[in-house]
Amino acid sequence: MRRRRWRTLLLGVVLPLVLTAGAVGGLYWLREWDRHPAADSGRPGSWVTVGSEEVAAFARVRVPGSAGELRWAYRKGLQDDVAFLSFRLPPGGEQGFLNGLGIPLTPDAGTDLGSGVLEGFRQAGAPDPRAAGALRHGSVVADALPGHNKRLAESAWLAEEADGGTRVWVHAMDAP
């Protein structure tokens, strides 16, 4: 009789608790796996290893040959991919870059870049734009390229450095 009570207790209470805890733990793990996909998994939201040339082409930015400290990152999205570029222009190199960029800049842009943009620049290993001092900012939505069905939303931030050089940050996202 005593053995039957233990078996009933085990099957009626303990086993369902263990199964429930396992199911909850499994669902939590699946949710985290879905929210934070592994790099290069190809899943939406994953950071993808690509070359700087591919990121620059996606962002439609010509990085001058004189640029240094080039950093980049690329994130695959469910619908929209996102590219991040950062580099340093030597003194005197800014105007040539701006002529090819085609984005008008406004001074004193502030430092509210948004958490997603800051995360992208961190992923790229770029310096934090908020620590750069006075930022100039510009944004543009460009038409779709021939053979593509999406436009490009692009933002650029520039900050002058102490030696007269310029630090550049570019965020680009394809937009429907």
Side-chain angles (χ1 to χ4, degrees):
M1 186 66 141
R2 207 168 172 95
R3 197 170 238 186
R4 182 179 254 173
R5 279 189 203 171
W6 278 106
R7 192 177 299 158
T8 303
L9 180 65
L10 182 65
L11 291 175
V13 176
V14 175
L15 186 60
L17 285 175
V18 169
L19 291 174
T20 302
V24 168
L27 289 173
Y28 175 79
W29 179 81
L30 282 173
R31 183 173 156 248
E32 287 302 303
W33 177 75
D34 190 48
R35 288 181 54 204
H36 305 288
D40 288 325
S41 66
R43 292 185 47 239
S46 66
W47 293 100
V48 181
T49 302
V50 296
S52 62
E53 299 84 14
E54 188 174 340
V55 173
F58 175 86
R60 302 182 198 172
V61 171
R62 189 184 68 67
V63 179
S66 62
E69 302 175 33
L70 179 61
R71 304 284 187 266
W72 66 94
Y74 188 86
R75 187 173 211 167
K76 181 164 184 56
L78 180 61
Q79 294 180 358
D80 303 320
D81 293 352
V82 185
F84 301 89
L85 277 171
S86 177
F87 50 90
R88 185 181 184 288
L89 297 170
E94 179 181 313
Q95 195 55 50
F97 171 72
L98 288 176
N99 290 342
L101 185 62
I103 299 176
L105 299 177
T106 58
D108 301 324
T111 56
D112 184 21
L113 281 69
S115 62
V117 173
L118 291 173
E119 178 191 357
F121 289 133
R122 272 193 300 274
Q123 180 71 25
D128 189 334
R130 298 173 300 178
L135 291 173
R136 292 170 286 152
H137 171 258
S139 292
V140 67
V141 176
D143 291 332
L145 292 173
H148 295 274
N149 60 351
K150 292 189 175 187
R151 300 177 298 158
L152 183 76
E154 185 171 30
S155 294
W157 295 266
L158 280 77
E160 188 173 335
E161 295 192 319
D163 69 349
T166 304
R167 173 71 59 180
V168 178
W169 296 268
V170 177
H171 164 252
M173 178 176 79
D174 54 7

